[in-house]
Amino acid sequence: MAYNNLAIVEFYLGENDRAFASLEQVLDGNPGNLHALCNTLVLLHEMGQDEEAHRLSQKLEHVRSLNLETRYKVASTLAIIGRHDLAYEELKLLERRGYRGDPLFGHWLSISAFKTGHVEEAAAFLQSEEAQGMREEQEAYDIRHNLQFRSALIQALKTEDDVSRIFTALLLGKLNDEEAKLALSMMPEVTDHPDVLLLTEQILHEMNGEKMIVDARIHRALLTIRLAERYVSDEERMSLEGDFYERFARLVLSGETFDAIEASAAALIYLFHDVREGTLIEDCAALVDVSFDEVAAVIRSYQRLLNPARAKC
């Protein structure tokens, strides 16, 4: 499992040769490892080598695992690379057995149904309560199942600056899976900034369910951003401007102490909205139940840190 996860992260970091070498190492020792074979097919597809992916997928044509989760892994992989004939057959079998997998189960089933000529079945799913529920419940910027976004996210660790790495670390923490943990564990390879490394280490401890506090200031910073996140929608936080997390990252790197967590969160909320439609300081203070004066003082402090030239005027 570790080598399989490593291969995906290496691929996202742009180390294609290393990624395929890791998968080959698994398959050399265990030629029947379905996860390694599925990962190989997905990476080939991501590289645009669909013909080779289809050729290798022939090895899966007669595979019938007793484990339903493994069967779903195989079926969804076949759907991803465009082998909808096999995917539809397997997904229908899983459906008859009551297995629904992850939130994308219905998506892959309906796509494969449509691609294999079962148009009415695909249309029926899109109009079903399940599909409606997925549209209503799934976060607009859910990155858990988005391969392209996940790839870009992990690549950012290697190619971007420390402000972006903090932003990336926060988002990888939300993924909270082995792939994300492995990517974060590689942070020391791409930066030596102590604040970024401490924040990453703190996030990793939390992802592992550990209550260890590696640095009190960084711990307060994380509590601050998570409180602020409650009052800014996903769409706004993940907007193209990206300044919600950028502003927080710049404060972390500036040495901000975040001593007053609630007031700090209210200040971040105010500064985010202030450059858009605007908001009142007292409204932001009321969200987290702190005084106007306390939030106003933190806002002034943040403005001096973030905009020193403007603050001197």
Side-chain angles (χ1 to χ4, degrees):
M1 184 177 296
Y3 279 104
N4 273 310
N5 289 326
L6 176 62
I8 298 296
V9 173
E10 287 173 333
F11 181 79
Y12 290 158
L13 288 171
E15 304 288 348
N16 296 357
D17 291 340
R18 286 174 56 185
F20 283 105
S22 294
L23 291 172
E24 287 172 8
Q25 186 169 350
V26 177
L27 291 170
D28 286 344
N30 180 7
N33 190 294
L34 291 178
H35 286 278
L37 180 55
C38 286
N39 286 340
T40 300
L41 297 179
V42 171
L43 296 194
L44 287 170
H45 170 73
E46 290 287 298
M47 294 176 64
Q49 298 183 19
D50 288 329
E51 185 175 336
E52 178 65 9
H54 282 214
R55 186 186 68 79
L56 286 177
S57 71
Q58 295 174 6
K59 296 181 179 181
L60 298 176
E61 290 183 1
H62 304 292
V63 172
R64 298 294 184 271
S65 173
L66 295 176
N67 184 288
L68 296 185
E69 290 186 6
T70 301
R71 292 189 81 147
Y72 176 58
K73 168 78 172 180
V74 172
S76 59
T77 297
L78 291 169
I80 288 171
I81 69 171
R83 287 298 308 273
H84 297 291
D85 51 340
L86 296 176
Y88 178 73
E89 178 183 335
E90 282 295 286
L91 291 168
K92 286 298 291 184
L93 181 145
L94 289 168
E95 183 185 47
R96 288 194 293 272
R97 294 188 179 182
Y99 181 83
R100 299 302 295 173
D102 59 36
L104 287 181
F105 182 95
H107 166 78
W108 292 125
L109 178 56
S110 63
I111 293 293
S112 296
F114 180 81
K115 293 290 188 179
T116 53
H118 301 85
V119 179
E120 292 184 0
E121 181 180 347
F125 171 77
L126 293 175
Q127 298 171 8
S128 68
E129 292 184 3
E130 179 183 352
Q132 180 64 28
M134 285 175 60
R135 285 191 288 268
E136 292 177 352
E137 294 176 11
Q138 195 162 355
E139 295 181 4
Y141 290 88
D142 188 345
I143 57 178
R144 289 171 296 173
H145 310 293
N146 188 319
L147 295 178
Q148 289 79 18
F149 195 91
R150 184 185 282 256
S151 172
L153 197 62
I154 295 178
Q155 285 183 28
L157 294 180
K158 183 176 181 180
T159 61
E160 301 294 337
D161 56 20
D162 285 322
V163 168
S164 297
R165 290 189 183 104
I166 289 178
F167 178 12
T168 301
L170 291 169
L171 293 184
L172 286 172
K174 294 179 185 299
L175 286 177
N176 199 17
D177 57 23
E178 293 305 316
E179 217 173 84
K181 292 176 185 177
L182 186 57
L184 286 173
S185 71
M186 299 170 76
M187 189 71 85
E189 298 182 19
V190 297
T191 183
D192 58 1
H193 197 294
D195 288 342
V196 181
L197 296 178
L198 287 170
L199 182 136
T200 301
E201 185 180 353
Q202 185 66 59
I203 290 173
L204 277 169
H205 282 304
E206 294 173 1
M207 291 169 76
N208 290 322
E210 301 164 355
K211 296 184 178 181
M212 181 184 301
I213 296 177
V214 298
D215 181 88
R217 182 179 76 91
I218 293 298
H219 181 60
R220 291 194 301 272
L222 287 173
L223 291 177
T224 296
I225 193 64
R226 287 165 183 159
L227 178 57
E229 284 176 333
R230 299 181 194 175
Y231 303 102
V232 179
S233 71
D234 297 325
E235 292 86 349
E236 291 175 314
R237 283 191 272 119
M238 297 292 291
S239 64
L240 291 176
E241 292 91 343
D243 54 350
F244 178 79
Y245 289 110
E246 179 191 358
R247 191 176 289 111
F248 167 74
R250 288 170 59 197
L251 287 169
V252 171
L253 296 175
S254 74
E256 167 59 31
T257 59
F258 300 96
D259 288 322
I261 292 169
E262 289 79 8
S264 296
L268 284 173
I269 297 167
Y270 173 82
L271 291 172
F272 176 77
H273 288 294
D274 187 49
V275 297
R276 290 168 173 77
E277 70 279 7
T279 188
L280 298 175
I281 295 177
E282 50 262 43
D283 290 339
C284 296
L287 289 174
V288 294
D289 195 25
V290 292
S291 72
F292 171 93
D293 290 341
E294 189 174 2
V295 176
V298 176
I299 290 172
R300 288 193 295 272
S301 173
Y302 285 2
Q303 288 174 330
R304 286 193 294 271
L305 285 170
L306 296 169
N307 305 295
R310 181 180 173 185
K312 292 177 181 177
C313 298

